[in-house]
Amino acid sequence: MFVRRVAVVGAGYVGLTSAACLASLGHHVICADIDEKKVEQLRGAQVSIFEPGLPELVQEGLAAGRLEFVVGVRNAVRDAEVVFLCVPTPMGEGGAADLKAVEAAVAEMKDLLAPGTVVVNKSTVPVGTAARVLELLERDDVFVASNPEFLREGSAVRDFMHPDRIVVGSDAQNAAERVSALYARLGAPTVLMDAASAELVKYSANCFLAMKLSYVNAMAELCERLGADIANVTEGMGFDQRIGQSFLQPGPGWGGSCLPKDTHALLQIAEAAGHDFELLTATINTNEKQSRLIIRKIAGAVGGDLSGKKLGLLGLAFKAGTNDLRDSPALKIAKMLKAEGAELVAYDPAITQAVEGVTDDVTVVDDVQQAAKDANALVVLTEWPQFRSLDWAALAGTMTGQVVVDTRNLLDVDVLTRAGLTSHGVGR
Ligand code: UGA
């Protein structure tokens, strides 16, 4: 079997998943992070992110001696044949990606790398970063490649182990092949290309997904005006294989740590290149508009004025299956509701008041009953499947108003009606 010594810099979502999965493919992986506490916990197989299958893989890798965690880049890269950069690239000034963490990691490793090492950008970085990293390395005996990661939170391990495709780009001969060989056991379609194209693939894919969702949300708005049902429209569209059934669910707007950041970053990249990417601007604006439409929908459902209304929010995470609140549409909507004077009590199965990112806008409670008690309306903001099977009649009995606003079209309308509740969905 083809086994390599791999270093992964950054034990965040992408880094930790990549490290654990690469170890499970048989490679020897050292994963570095600057957070000492995190490294200590990971050595004990304690994974703080909510990701199915990840704790087990970490445990397995540690037990097999194929996975190690260290503090600091320098302790990870010395013997590595391939070094993955998986550090955060948050939204910086004007929407452009902030590359400070990438630059710091490169500065720390540059004199320690063995000749022939391939340094791989896995973080989503602007076009030209591979060339920039090569410059910063100041070495002519190491190589740089770009290998974007397409995993989704909540199904990261599955997405890594069963990818739709592997994309690797490099301008150095054989570097892309050496990186793609690490994934050979996955048997996935592999596309090799130049570094700039690989860097663009990730932005292009995420922005296309955002555009697809903005399109669906805009169609949903039109459906409401025309008396059509978006579920029927998307089902009818989705059978066209060129469109596909997935990523067509309307909602409170798209969010999370990737789509908002990447749409703004690509817009910046386009602007800097003198390209007026109007379609992308419209995609972002449509998403902003979606939150305003949802606020008006909720206001309408409680009589027009939100001031002094008690609302029970169901879900705070940016999507089901995660406890991640970064750029969560639910939080954005909570902030807007609060600004209009509503009183908010929220329940999310994965979130407590102590979770990083929870704001003073909401009081987080431990069960749905507390969120429903005396509420003028319940508002579903995250599509947790367990909300479907709640005892809606019992909840209705404790509410002041008999209204549910389902921004994810998650609940069964007949069940709500039988429970005596009026429901408002999106696009129907
Ligand atoms: C996204 C991409 O889907 C991944 O391919 C990519 O690797 C990742 O970003 C990244 O760049 O790292 P993720 O942010 O985990 O993954 O979340 P998604 O599942 O894409 O959801 C994004 C947002 O769209 C969420 O707010 C979700 O609720 C919303 N959404 C998704 C909808 O409103 N409707 C849908 O049909 C699907």
Side-chain angles (χ1 to χ4, degrees), residues 13-14 51 124 148-155 159 165 202 205-206 209-210 213 216-217 245-262 287 317-320 322 324 326-329 381-383 407-408:
Y13 242 103
V14 171
E51 196 58 58
T124 309
E149 182 51 66
F150 302 102
L151 52 83
R152 288 163 298 176
E153 289 191 27
S155 54
D159 288 348
R165 76 302 206 185
K202 178 60 187 278
N206 270 3
L209 291 173
L213 294 179
V216 168
N217 287 334
Q245 295 281 3
S246 57
F247 241 73
L248 288 178
Q249 186 67 25
W254 38 270
S257 66
C258 302
L259 301 193
K261 167 174 84 76
D262 292 350
N287 203 40
F318 84 95
K319 65 174 183 181
T322 160
D324 197 339
R326 286 176 292 173
D327 260 315
S328 169
L381 291 170
T382 310
E383 74 286 21
T407 72
R408 298 281 189 168

Side-chain angles (χ1 to χ4, degrees), residues 11 62 146 170 182 245 335 346:
L62 288 166
S146 162
S170 180
L182 295 173
Q245 295 281 3
K335 193 179 167 72

Side-chain angles (χ1 to χ4, degrees), residues 334-357:
K335 193 179 167 72
M336 293 164 82
L337 291 169
K338 183 80 181 176
E340 297 212 14
E343 188 195 321
L344 309 173
V345 180
Y347 168 70
D348 186 300
I351 288 164
T352 61
Q353 195 86 37
V355 168
E356 193 182 333

Side-chain angles (χ1 to χ4, degrees), residues 13 34 74 80 101 114 137 188 198-199 205 213 220 226 237 247 256 264-265 271 275 297 327 334 378 383 409 421:
Y13 242 103
I34 45 171
R74 59 184 58 252
L137 284 166
E199 287 168 335
L213 294 179
L226 299 179
M237 278 165 64
F247 241 73
H264 283 96
E271 259 170 44
H275 174 45
K297 186 184 286 288
D327 260 315
L378 278 173
E383 74 286 21
N409 290 353
L421 290 158

